[in-house]
Amino acid sequence: MRPAHRWRRRLAGWWLRWKRWEFWPPWALYPPIVAWILWLTLRHGGLSVFTSVNTKLWSAGVIGGSKIRILAALSSCDERVARSWLLAPDPDLDRRTERLLEATARLGLDWPVVLKPDSGARGRGVGIVHDGAEARAHLAAEPGPLVLQEYVPGREYGVFYTRMPGEARGRIFSITDKRPAEVVGDGRRCLEELIYDDPRAVALARVYCEGLAGRLAEVPAAGERVRLGELGTHCRGAIFLDGNHLRTPALEDAVDRLASAVEGFHFGRLTCVPPPSRPSAGAASRSSNSTAWYPRRLMSTTRRFPCWLPTGCFSASGAWRPGSAPGSGDGATGGPDSGRCCERRWTIGAADRAGADLRAGAAGGTMARHVCGPS
C-alpha cells in the first residue's frame, strides 16, 4: 500500500470519526450523561441512590464491580451457566500459565476460551485466545485478576431488561444487533488496502489493523469475506444496529425467567447468542462485564446526530449453554439478512438464522451471556 494513499485514507478516517457521532470519544459523548446523572442525584437526594436498583449485587453492578462475583450470583440461577474461573495475579508467568491450563482442563474447556479482567469496561483487556501461546501472551499483557470463561460462538444480541419494584414480571426495553465488521476481497488488493478503502472501516482502521497485524499483506480472493474482529464491542470495531424487531413474547419469557432467578436484579442487559444450527434453540449468553450502557435502539448508527439523553447501566454477565452445569470448587462458577450502517454503501450482514433463533427464545435451551445494570 502506497504511503501517500494510506495517509490520505487516515485523514478521511479522522474526518469520519468526527462527522459520525457513533465514533466520538467518551470525553465528547458522555458530558450530557454526567449532567443528567447529576440532575437526578439532586432530584432524588444522593449520589449513590442509583445503586439501589439491583439490591443484591455488589454496588448494583456498576463499572468497576467484580465479574466473578456476579457470575457466582448467577451460577445458582440455571444449569446452563457457562463455566468460568478466576485466575489470581501471579508474578511468575510460567506458573500462571500452568494454572490457566489446569483450570481449562478442570472445567473441560476446549480452545478458544475468553480471558477478561475481573474488573473492566468497554472491552479493555478482553481477548479470545485460541491456543496456549496466545493465552500466555495475554497473561503477560494483563497481570491483574482475570476471568477465564467458556467461549460461545455465534451472533451476539444485547437484550436490555428492566423490572419495576413490586412487579412480578419484567420487560425487554431494547435489543442491540451486534454485527462483526467485514470487508470483501477483490483478488487484487491486500487486506490493509481493503480496510483503508472501505467507507466505514477506515474510521477504525487503526483498531482493525492492530488486530490483524499478521495478515495485512494477505490478498483475499474475489468475493471472500474477511471478518475484522471477534468481540461484540463497538469501540473494538463491532457494528451496533437496532434489533427491536426481534422482540417476541417467547424471548421476553426466556429473558424474564433468567433475570428473575437472580434475587434483587431489576435492571440490566443480557448478551445473547442464538445457536446458529438450531432455529428453535433460543439465545445463549456467554460473557460477563461491567460497563456503561445506554439504549442502543436510540443509538441508531444511521442517524447523523445523537437524538437521546442516555442513562447509564452496568453490565454483569453470565454465560449459559445448553445442557451444561456450573463449575464448582475454588475459583469456579459455574433467509438472507443484511443491514446498512453509517454509510449507506456499507453492507453488513450475511445469510444466517440468528434473528429467528433469538425470536424463538423460550423454545429450547436458552443461554444468556451477559447481564448489566445502572451507572
Side-chain angles (χ1 to χ4, degrees), residues 31-60:
I33 303 175
V34 174
W36 179 245
I37 291 176
L38 289 175
W39 160 245
L40 290 177
T41 61
L42 292 174
R43 180 181 176 185
H44 296 285
L47 282 173
S48 62
V49 66
F50 66 91
T51 62
S52 301
V53 67
N54 295 319
T55 56
K56 297 297 183 180
L57 296 181
W58 181 81
S59 191

Side-chain angles (χ1 to χ4, degrees), residues 115-192:
L115 289 174
K116 62 183 71 177
D118 187 42
S119 177
R122 293 174 58 84
R124 294 189 184 95
V126 179
I128 300 173
V129 297
H130 299 83
D131 53 40
E134 288 188 14
R136 180 183 175 85
H138 193 93
L139 292 176
E142 298 291 336
L146 287 176
V147 175
L148 164 68
Q149 193 169 53
E150 179 181 9
Y151 174 69
V152 180
R155 180 99 144 259
E156 298 185 20
Y157 297 87
V159 180
F160 183 56
Y161 170 87
T162 181
R163 178 165 59 92
M164 295 298 290
E167 291 184 351
R169 180 181 173 83
R171 66 186 181 92
I172 293 175
F173 176 73
S174 177
I175 300 177
T176 305
D177 184 353
K178 302 181 179 184
R179 306 285 185 95
E182 295 178 338
V183 292
V184 181
D186 58 9
R188 297 182 296 103
R189 290 176 294 175
C190 67
L191 185 55
E192 183 182 17

Side-chain angles (χ1 to χ4, degrees), residues 296-350:
R296 304 296 188 192
R297 68 190 181 97
L298 303 182
M299 183 188 165
S300 172
T301 50
T302 59
R303 297 182 183 272
R304 291 185 178 272
F305 300 100
C307 59
W308 41 267
L309 188 60
T311 57
C313 168
F314 83 92
S315 155
S317 57
W320 285 261
R321 58 187 183 85
S324 69
S328 59
D330 184 24
T333 68
D337 182 18
S338 66
R340 296 189 182 272
C341 175
C342 190
E343 293 289 343
R344 293 293 181 178
R345 292 167 290 171
W346 174 258
T347 302
I348 304 163

Side-chain angles (χ1 to χ4, degrees), residues 7-17 196 202-203:
W7 279 107
R8 284 197 300 270
R9 294 305 297 165
R10 283 180 177 176
L11 182 61
W14 175 86
W15 173 245
L16 182 59
R17 287 195 298 273
Y196 275 101
V202 66

Side-chain angles (χ1 to χ4, degrees), residues 195-257:
I195 292 172
Y196 275 101
D197 289 344
D198 188 273
R200 183 186 185 279
V202 66
L204 296 174
R206 180 184 59 82
V207 174
Y208 296 138
C209 288
E210 286 178 357
L212 299 168
R215 301 180 55 192
L216 294 180
E218 293 182 10
V219 179
E224 179 185 352
R225 291 183 174 273
V226 180
R227 182 173 293 190
L228 302 182
E230 294 183 288
L231 298 178
T233 305
H234 187 269
C235 63
R236 298 283 293 270
I239 300 166
F240 285 6
L241 301 176
D242 185 359
N244 277 280
H245 61 285
L246 301 172
R247 179 165 41 192
T248 64
L251 178 61
E252 285 206 320
D253 288 342
V255 171
D256 187 66
R257 284 198 303 271

